[in-house]
């Protein structure tokens, strides 16, 4: 038996290695192309073949092998077209750049259709620039003329990588889904553990700061949920999924339910801390939630290693101890404690159901079906046909569209780079335009970050390339360095852009050194990179700048509308009973998506210049209250069930409907940029006057559920009031140019004084939300 352990360890390491699928595909493609070129004696073909491979990999999106094949055919068609256009127009000066900018504008707008077309358009634009650089070198080496072998080699390199990619997807169809589920449960585990830190009976805790950090973590969980859903959906055929894909779909649906229950809040945390300051009740809640976060992480580990998942007994024991503590508190608590105890009881029921959801993941075949789920369909957000795709592009043809602004900005930046290149007569000047394409991003913060990383990475790559060339003059070793550099680029381009840039610079130097002296490229590469980065930075600052403050009112309005739709779906199920059908899951997902979009927009705002983010504290406050509102809605959704008809139930339904109406009216006021009046809600007043039986027996589940609904709806109404006040403060002083929420010229705070404090803490809070790890609690004893 001991002799099998090393084999098992090697098998596990091999599976982990395959999680980095694209770098492995790039390694296979580049190594085979390099070997083929050397054996054929055409070392000069390596550069265009490598560049075509890189462009094809940049255009790659996650898909099934059939979808990848269709995308590859479209990609090769686009690559061939732009390669032909570049060869036909190269040397025609301003005609060339005019057409190139129009092509860049059109390709950028294609991103409105979906992620697949966005990647294809980006890869096509990169290949067009590679074709231009290749044409420049061909003219320098062979004189003027039409050198069609360069674009042919570019497309050949792209086709070779595409073929490897399609075959890889056919052989390993579920590997991308597995990788995304691993990320999802890891993010979910971190979110749940951080949520546990709210359950501390400590006075003076900055709950708002924790709420903002939690909103940032929630945005990451939502992004992971969306990625996992798209990976699963792209592989669903007309038949029901079977085998591993069926299990992965079940795990995804379990993750949705766990997310809803984990994100729910049953009472104001400061009120709970005051009521149970001398009790260990909240610590026990914290421990249960922490253990469930650990279970999510262990589930990610089991999915990664394809091992069975088994819930340990710690959370079950912790839940039993929590129930015992609740029984003791019911007998000994004072009046304030008894008033808050129903919220703890509801929390305990929610945690028990959450534990059951995680336990259901241990079912190897259909984990979600084991939990009684019948509707397991997913919503397709992709374009239905070419008319839908065309309509999506047409909707972007307005100056209010961020995508339109980015398309115009990129085209102007490319034209400026071309003009600088010709005005200064720089050698290898087309690297300026290529750098601009890589650096110029839709957001200001990301563009500025890439500026510094691009310049520093290029300098690092030049130094490393020069040292390696001097130390290892052998062409074979330099070829190996080039292949490794390409793999490093794709392994780090999303997470470590500086390192990725250094690797790409190293690849270029090593490839060029195979056919010429690459030392002559060092100085032009550095100068062109600096100029291209500067042009991208100026473009994002001066050409139709896309400041987040100018569109926050639209994002906030969308969030309020989706919160209202989520609440209506929840209320409807108090008539029919809980059902996780597609309509409910879609409303829940839209609410979380819009809340994450609002948190992300505010985080991005803190990366923009100070003049563009005035009164940022109000925006932070709005994000906190929006996320708090969503947590109360999640609690209502987590405890939804059929309720008997009666006067009190009818009152609860009316209060929910009127709260949804109030949210829709708030959304309309925010979007219009005019302060609105609060909604008339007679049911709310009746709800506040309703004296529930605080001493009702725990066994009376209907009474407990009614109390919970009343408490949660009252908390929802409190959040609506707060959001309404923030909207009034925001909109009453809005600048016309901003079209929505802006800051007062004097920067004064709102009457409660909280906004001024939040404005001072804004950058630190945004950093917490972005990292999501600030102040993570330690594991309780």
């Amino acid at each position: 038996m001991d002799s099998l352990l090393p084999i098992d360890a090697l098998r596990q390491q091999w599976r982990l290695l395959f999680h980095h699928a694209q770098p492995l595909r790039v390694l296979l493609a580049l190594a085979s192309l390099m070997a083929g070129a050397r054996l054929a004696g055409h070392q000069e073909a390596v550069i265009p073949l490598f560049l075509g491979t890189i462009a094809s990999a940049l255009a790659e999106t996650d898909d099934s092998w059939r979808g990848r094949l269709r995308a590859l055919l479209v990609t090769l068609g686009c690559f061939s077209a732009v390669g032909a256009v570049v060869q036909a127009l190269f040397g025609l000066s301003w005609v060339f750049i005019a057409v190139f900018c129009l092509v860049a504008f059109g390709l950028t707008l294609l991103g409105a259709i979906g992620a697949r077309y966005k990647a294809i358009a980006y890869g096509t634009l990169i290949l067009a620039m590679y074709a231009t650089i290749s044409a420049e070198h061909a003219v320098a080496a062979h004189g003027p003329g039409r050198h069609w072998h360069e674009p042919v080699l570019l497309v050949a390199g792209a086709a070779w990588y595409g073929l490897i990619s399609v075959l890889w997807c056919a052989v390993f169809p579920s590997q991308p889904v597995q990788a995304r589920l691993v990320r999802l449960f890891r993010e979910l585990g971190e979110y749940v553990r951080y949520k546990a830190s709210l359950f501390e009976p400590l006075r003076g805790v900055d709950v708002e700061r924790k709420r903002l950090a939690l909103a940032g973590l929630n945005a990451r969980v939502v992004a992971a949920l969306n990625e996992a859903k798209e990976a699963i959906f792209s592989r669903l055929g007309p038949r029901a999924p079977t085998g591993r894909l069926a299990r992965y779909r079940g795990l995804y649906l379990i993750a949705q339910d766990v997310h809803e229950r984990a994100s729910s809040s049953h009472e104001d945390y400061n009120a709970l801390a005051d009521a149970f300051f001398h009790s260990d009740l909240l610590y026990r809640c914290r421990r249960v939630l922490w253990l469930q976060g650990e279970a999510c992480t262990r589930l990610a580990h089991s999915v990664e290693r394809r091992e069975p998942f088994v819930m340990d007994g710690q959370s079950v024991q912790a839940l039993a101890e929590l129930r015992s503590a609740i029984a003791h508190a019911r007998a000994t608590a004072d009046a304030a404690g008894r008033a808050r105890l129903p919220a703890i009881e509801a929390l305990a029921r929610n945690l028990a159901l959450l534990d059951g959801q995680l336990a259901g993941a241990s079912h190897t075949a259909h984990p979600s079906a084991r939990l009684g789920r019948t509707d397991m369909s997913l919503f397709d957000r992709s374009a239905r046909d070419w008319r839908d795709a065309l309509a999506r592009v047409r909707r972007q043809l307005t100056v209010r569209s961020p995508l339109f602004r980015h398309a115009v900005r990129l085209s102007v930046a490319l034209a400026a780079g071309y003009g600088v290149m010709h005005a200064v007569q720089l050698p290898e000047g087309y690297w300026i335009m290529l750098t601009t394409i890589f650096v110029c991003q839709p957001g200001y913060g990301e563009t500025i970050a890439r500026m510094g990383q691009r310049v520093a990475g290029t300098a690092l790559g030049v130094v490393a390339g020069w040292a390696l060339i001097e130390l290892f003059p052998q062409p074979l070793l330099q070829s190996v360095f080039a292949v490794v550099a390409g793999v490093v680029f794709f392994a780090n381009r999303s997470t470590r852009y500086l390192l990725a840039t250094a690797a790409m610079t190293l690849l270029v130097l090593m490839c060029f050194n195979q056919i010429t002296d690459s030392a002559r490229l060092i100085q032009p590469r550095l100068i062109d990179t600096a100029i291209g980065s500067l042009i991208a930075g100026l473009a994002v600052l001066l050409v139709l700048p896309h400041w987040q403050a100018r569109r926050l009112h639209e994002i906030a309005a969308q969030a309020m509308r989706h919160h209202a739709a989520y609440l209506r779906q929840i209320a409807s199920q108090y008539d029919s009973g809980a059902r996780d059908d597609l309509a409910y899951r879609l409303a829940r997902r839209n609410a979380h998506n819009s809340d994450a979009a609002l948190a992300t927009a505010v985080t991005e705002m803190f990366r923009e210049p100070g003049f563009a983010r005035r009164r940022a504290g109000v925006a932070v406050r709005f994000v906190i209250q929006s996320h708090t509102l969503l947590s109360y809605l999640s609690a209502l959704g987590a405890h939804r069930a059929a309720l008997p008809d009666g006067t009190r139930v009818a009152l609860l339904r009316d209060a929910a409907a009127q709260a949804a109406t109030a949210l829709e009216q708030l959304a309309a006021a925010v979007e219009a940029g005019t302060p609105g009046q609060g909604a008339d809600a007679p049911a709310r007043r009746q709800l506040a006057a309703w004296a529930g039986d605080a001493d009702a027996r725990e066994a009376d589940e209907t009474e407990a559920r009614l109390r919970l609904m009343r408490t949660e709806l009252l908390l929802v109404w409190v959040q609506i009031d707060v959001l309404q006040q923030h909207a009034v403060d925001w909109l009453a002083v809005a600048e016309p140019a901003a079209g929505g929420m802006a800051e007062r010229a004097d920067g004064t705070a709102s009457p409660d004084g909280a906004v001024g404090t939040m404005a001072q803490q804004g950058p630190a809070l945004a950093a917490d939300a972005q990292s999501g790890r600030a102040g993570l609690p330690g594991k309780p004893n």
Side-chain angles (χ1 to χ4, degrees):
M1 287 297 292
D2 292 340
S3 62
L4 295 178
L5 293 179
I7 299 177
D8 294 338
L10 287 175
R11 186 182 296 114
Q12 294 298 343
Q13 292 301 318
W14 178 252
R15 287 175 177 173
L16 294 178
L17 182 64
F18 266 72
H19 279 291
H20 305 283
Q22 191 181 50
L24 287 178
R25 292 194 293 269
V26 170
L27 172 62
L28 183 59
L30 294 183
S32 58
L33 289 173
M34 180 66 79
R38 291 186 66 86
L39 291 175
H42 292 286
Q43 197 66 19
E44 72 283 353
V46 167
I47 296 176
L49 288 173
F50 271 29
L51 295 179
T53 297
I54 292 168
S56 182
L58 290 173
E60 183 181 48
T61 56
D62 178 51
D63 214 332
S64 64
W65 73 267
R66 294 180 181 86
R68 187 71 60 85
L69 180 59
R70 290 192 295 269
L72 175 63
L73 296 177
V74 174
T75 301
L76 294 180
C78 292
F79 283 9
S80 301
V82 297
V85 169
V86 167
Q87 285 297 317
L89 299 180
F90 188 80
L92 297 181
S93 190
W94 298 108
V95 175
F96 167 80
I97 190 58
V99 174
F100 197 98
C101 290
L102 286 175
V103 170
F105 178 82
L107 288 173
T108 304
L109 286 183
L110 285 181
I113 301 176
R116 176 189 295 175
Y117 292 93
K118 179 181 179 180
I120 292 174
Y122 183 67
T124 302
L125 193 57
I126 296 297
L127 185 123
M129 205 64 253
Y130 287 159
T132 304
I133 295 173
S134 299
E136 182 186 33
H137 289 171
V139 169
H142 308 292
R146 298 288 180 253
H147 306 286
W148 292 99
H149 63 283
E150 295 288 339
V152 169
L153 288 174
L154 284 168
V155 175
W160 178 241
Y161 177 82
L163 179 61
I164 291 175
S165 177
V166 171
L167 293 176
W168 188 286
C169 289
V171 176
F172 306 104
S174 60
Q175 184 275 331
V177 182
Q178 178 189 6
R180 281 158 178 78
L181 281 174
V182 169
R183 179 187 172 228
L184 168 58
F185 280 103
R186 280 178 177 160
E187 297 286 1
L188 194 56
E190 190 169 348
Y191 175 86
V192 174
R193 287 194 298 272
Y194 191 87
K195 183 67 178 287
S197 69
L198 290 171
F199 293 94
E200 295 178 342
L202 303 175
R203 289 168 180 161
V205 175
D206 191 350
V207 175
E208 289 185 334
R209 189 182 188 92
K210 288 180 175 290
R211 284 280 195 185
L212 184 59
L214 200 64
L217 278 172
N218 183 66
R220 286 166 44 187
V221 174
V222 170
L225 279 166
N226 291 336
E227 289 178 2
K229 179 255 181 183
E230 293 301 326
I232 295 171
F233 192 87
S234 65
R235 288 161 176 81
L236 291 178
R239 299 179 180 177
T242 57
R244 188 171 290 120
L245 186 58
R247 168 171 168 75
Y248 288 164
R249 185 180 66 170
L251 290 175
Y252 164 75
L253 294 173
I254 285 177
Q256 277 195 329
D257 293 340
V258 170
H259 182 221
E260 180 178 54
R261 295 191 179 282
S263 63
S264 61
S265 296
H266 296 78
E267 183 57 276
D268 178 78
Y269 293 106
N270 285 325
L272 290 177
D274 288 338
F276 300 105
F277 184 76
H278 298 289
S279 169
D280 68 345
L281 199 55
L282 292 186
Y283 277 122
R284 294 190 182 278
C285 294
R286 181 180 185 271
R287 176 167 174 77
V288 173
L289 201 54
W290 175 273
L291 291 173
Q292 290 171 342
E294 289 287 290
C296 290
T297 303
R298 287 190 293 103
L299 178 55
H301 188 73
S302 71
V303 173
E304 185 176 39
R305 295 180 175 272
R306 293 185 181 176
E307 297 173 345
F309 172 70
V310 180
M311 285 284 290
D312 57 25
Q314 293 188 67
S315 60
V316 175
Q317 180 182 356
L319 277 168
E321 293 171 351
L322 174 60
R323 293 190 185 97
S324 176
I326 290 174
H328 181 267
R330 191 181 302 113
T332 61
D334 56 15
R338 286 196 299 273
R340 305 293 179 184
L341 197 57
I344 300 295
E345 294 171 348
L347 172 62
R349 290 194 298 271
N350 187 46
L351 293 177
L353 292 171
L354 194 158
D355 212 60
Q357 292 284 352
L358 290 173
S362 62
H363 195 262
T364 56
H366 301 283
S368 192
R370 183 189 178 191
L371 298 172
R373 188 188 302 275
T374 56
D375 185 356
M376 302 178 71
S377 56
L378 300 176
F379 181 70
D380 185 8
R381 297 181 184 270
S382 61
R384 295 182 295 274
D385 50 36
W386 67 269
R387 292 184 181 85
D388 186 18
L390 187 61
R392 294 187 182 195
V393 174
R394 189 182 296 115
R395 285 195 293 268
Q396 302 301 317
L397 296 177
T398 171
V399 74
R400 295 176 59 85
S401 166
L403 186 61
F404 178 85
R405 287 171 173 258
H406 176 57
V408 172
R409 189 182 307 126
L410 181 60
S411 301
V412 172
L414 290 173
Y418 189 80
V420 170
M421 179 188 71
H422 278 277
V424 187
Q425 295 296 317
L426 292 172
E428 310 291 341
Y430 286 103
W431 290 104
I432 295 175
M433 297 173 64
L434 181 63
T435 299
T436 299
I437 293 175
F438 276 114
V439 173
C440 190
Q441 299 296 306
Y444 175 87
E446 188 176 0
T447 300
I448 298 303
R450 283 203 173 194
M451 281 180 61
Q453 292 173 4
R454 187 80 183 181
V455 174
T458 300
L460 178 62
V462 164
V463 172
W466 173 81
L468 290 174
I469 289 172
E470 292 296 321
L471 292 173
F472 305 99
Q474 299 86 355
L476 181 59
L477 281 178
Q478 292 178 11
S479 299
V480 173
F481 291 146
V483 172
V484 172
V487 175
V488 171
F489 170 76
F490 280 97
N492 295 278
R493 68 188 182 96
S494 299
T495 55
R496 301 179 181 89
Y497 190 69
L498 188 151
L499 179 59
T501 300
M504 181 53 63
T505 302
L506 180 62
L507 180 147
V508 171
L509 292 178
M510 291 298 170
C511 288
F512 271 97
N513 204 59
Q514 302 287 309
I515 58 176
T516 185
D517 182 15
S518 63
R520 67 180 182 83
L521 295 176
I522 292 179
Q523 184 178 0
R525 177 82 172 176
L526 288 172
I527 295 175
D528 294 346
T529 298
I531 294 175
S533 297
L534 179 61
I535 290 174
L538 291 174
V540 77
L541 180 65
L542 302 175
V543 182
L544 294 178
H546 172 55
W547 307 128
Q548 294 294 337
R550 294 185 175 180
R551 58 190 294 264
L552 275 178
H553 63 293
E554 298 176 354
I555 302 175
Q558 186 79 334
M560 296 303 102
R561 287 197 182 93
H562 284 155
H563 290 351
Y566 184 25
L567 178 55
R568 291 190 188 279
Q569 277 290 328
I570 293 170
S572 69
Q573 297 202 13
Y574 285 110
D575 291 327
S576 60
R579 62 185 190 281
D580 286 328
D581 55 9
L582 180 59
Y584 176 79
R585 286 185 282 112
L586 181 60
R588 179 177 62 188
R589 188 65 15 223
N590 286 339
H592 279 281
N593 282 338
S594 59
D595 182 73
L598 182 60
T600 301
V602 172
T603 301
E604 286 296 318
M605 185 174 63
F606 280 103
R607 302 172 68 186
E608 296 174 349
F611 68 83
R613 53 179 171 88
R614 296 178 303 164
R615 199 70 184 281
V618 186
V620 172
R621 185 78 174 188
F622 200 93
V623 168
I624 294 171
Q625 301 304 331
S626 173
H627 187 68
T628 304
L629 170 64
L630 182 57
S631 69
Y632 294 141
L633 295 178
S634 296
L636 284 170
H639 294 280
R640 67 194 189 281
L643 296 173
D645 290 331
T647 304
R648 292 188 299 174
V649 173
L651 176 59
L652 291 172
R653 294 193 186 105
D654 290 343
Q658 291 172 18
T661 301
L663 285 170
E664 291 166 348
Q665 292 177 357
L666 175 59
V670 168
E671 191 170 41
T674 56
Q677 299 295 325
D680 182 28
R684 178 197 181 176
R685 295 191 294 271
Q686 298 175 31
L687 200 66
W690 170 17
D693 183 5
D695 296 322
R697 293 179 299 112
E698 182 186 19
D700 190 348
E701 294 185 4
T702 300
E703 181 64 28
R705 199 176 300 276
L706 290 175
R707 288 202 314 264
L708 174 64
M709 278 191 66
R710 173 185 177 271
T711 301
E712 295 294 336
L713 284 173
L714 286 175
L715 290 170
V716 166
W717 273 108
V718 169
Q719 294 306 310
I720 293 174
D721 288 343
V722 176
L723 288 168
Q724 180 71 35
Q725 183 58 50
H726 288 321
V728 170
D729 293 342
W730 217 343
L731 298 172
V733 293
E735 296 176 350
M741 300 181 183
E743 182 183 8
R744 296 174 184 171
D746 59 359
T748 56
S750 62
D752 61 3
V755 174
T757 303
M758 297 298 292
Q760 295 172 2
Q761 297 176 351
L765 294 174
D768 286 352
Q770 188 176 16
S771 68
R773 293 181 172 87
L776 283 175
K779 188 172 182 178
N781 295 325

